[in-house]
Amino acid sequence: FYIMNLIAKYYHERLKKNYASNQYISSFLKIKNIDAKTIEKFYLGYSDGFDNVLDFLLENRIDSQMLLNFGIFKKNSKGKIYDIFAKRIIFPIKDKLNNTIGFGGRILEGKGPKYINSSENDFFKKRLLLYNMNNLKNIKSKLDKLFLVEGYTDVIAMDKKGYNSLAPLGTAVSQDQLNIAWQYNNEPIIFFDGDEAGKNASYRV
């Protein structure tokens, strides 16, 4: 997990350096009511280019070919390795031990899907994970109330209101993810968006 945590730290430092001067970042953070305290709690980050994090890792003597196994980098048609999260706000996905095992990215400029996740690998299986598990790791007994919400920013919004919540890494909730939620609360409340995607995800549960 050393390399993944190193990447998360790089993204995090880039966000702290750029959020006041980059209009795309500052606008997104303002709309989502994300302040400096929230950035720290969720260790949010920003990818400032296709090559920058790769250059950083190479400077730290990380083998570039090995990085392709982490689901964060791909090769283009010319064989050049690039960061798939370029120009996106980064949401580190962590396990219960607070190790970074994947990333979610929200686009801020240019074309592409609104949200993307790291590709799955041996230690990053989306159906076996929920976003925000690391922040609930020290809870000794079951919570009085737990919400299952649709996405990363929903978790953050609920946290700012004082509610505990988890989110699947996609639109549907798997049985494995429900099993995880039941470890925290006997009757988690499913609180998805009222649009078609949210309704469909709820029906699958």
Side-chain angles (χ1 to χ4, degrees), residues 113-175:
K114 185 176 180 180
Y115 282 94
I116 60 173
N117 287 322
S118 308
S119 301
E120 293 197 342
N121 50 44
D122 290 341
F123 55 85
F124 182 60
K125 306 286 187 185
K126 290 189 287 185
R127 65 180 178 80
L128 301 176
L129 297 164
L130 287 165
Y131 180 65
N132 202 38
M133 291 192 306
N134 60 302
N135 285 323
L136 303 184
K137 66 181 184 300
N138 291 324
I139 294 171
K140 303 301 181 183
S141 58
K142 290 201 174 184
L143 298 167
D144 293 333
K145 189 174 290 185
L146 175 69
F147 292 89
L148 276 180
V149 294
E150 199 165 329
Y152 308 118
T153 57
D154 298 315
V155 167
I156 292 172
M158 295 294 280
D159 180 79
K160 292 181 76 68
K161 295 293 185 180
Y163 295 107
N164 293 302
S165 64
L166 298 166
L169 310 180
T171 56
V173 180
S174 71
Q175 183 62 53

Side-chain angles (χ1 to χ4, degrees), residues 36-47:
K37 184 178 179 180
T38 305
I39 289 172
E40 289 301 324
K41 179 172 183 177
F42 291 91
Y43 214 62
L44 303 183
Y46 174 67
S47 173

Side-chain angles (χ1 to χ4, degrees), residues 13-192:
E13 293 300 325
R14 291 291 93 189
L15 178 60
K16 290 197 296 183
K17 183 175 180 178
N18 288 285
Y19 81 85
S21 59
N22 185 306
Q23 62 174 339
Y24 296 104
I25 299 175
S26 58
S27 176
F28 174 79
L29 296 180
K30 183 177 180 179
I31 290 171
K32 296 298 182 181
N33 193 28
I34 296 174
D35 56 18
K37 184 178 179 180
T38 305
I39 289 172
E40 289 301 324
K41 179 172 183 177
F42 291 91
Y43 214 62
L44 303 183
Y46 174 67
S47 173
D48 54 351
F50 289 97
D51 304 316
N52 296 356
V53 68
L54 180 62
D55 292 341
F56 166 76
L57 292 170
L58 294 177
E59 288 172 4
N60 283 270
R61 300 183 180 181
I62 306 298
D63 179 65
S64 61
Q65 292 300 316
M66 183 179 66
L67 293 174
L68 294 172
N69 298 326
F70 289 89
I72 304 165
F73 303 95
K74 290 185 178 180
K75 278 187 178 182
N76 63 19
S77 58
K78 296 181 180 179
K80 181 177 175 60
I81 298 174
Y82 67 94
D83 178 5
I84 66 171
F85 291 112
K87 305 302 180 181
R88 291 177 180 268
I89 289 285
I90 306 297
F91 301 85
I93 301 164
K94 301 191 176 190
D95 62 17
K96 292 180 180 180
L97 300 177
N98 213 39
N99 292 308
T100 305
I101 54 177
F103 297 96
R106 203 277 192 189
I107 197 168
L108 294 184
E109 55 181 299
K111 297 180 179 180
K114 185 176 180 180
Y115 282 94
I116 60 173
N117 287 322
S118 308
S119 301
E120 293 197 342
N121 50 44
D122 290 341
F123 55 85
F124 182 60
K125 306 286 187 185
K126 290 189 287 185
R127 65 180 178 80
L128 301 176
L129 297 164
L130 287 165
Y131 180 65
N132 202 38
M133 291 192 306
N134 60 302
N135 285 323
L136 303 184
K137 66 181 184 300
N138 291 324
I139 294 171
K140 303 301 181 183
S141 58
K142 290 201 174 184
L143 298 167
D144 293 333
K145 189 174 290 185
L146 175 69
F147 292 89
L148 276 180
V149 294
E150 199 165 329
Y152 308 118
T153 57
D154 298 315
V155 167
I156 292 172
M158 295 294 280
D159 180 79
K160 292 181 76 68
K161 295 293 185 180
Y163 295 107
N164 293 302
S165 64
L166 298 166
L169 310 180
T171 56
V173 180
S174 71
Q175 183 62 53
D176 293 302
Q177 289 169 325
L178 283 176
N179 292 340
I180 294 170
W182 285 328
Q183 294 175 19
Y184 296 100
N185 180 273
N186 291 328
E187 294 183 346
I189 301 167
I190 297 174
F191 195 43
F192 284 2

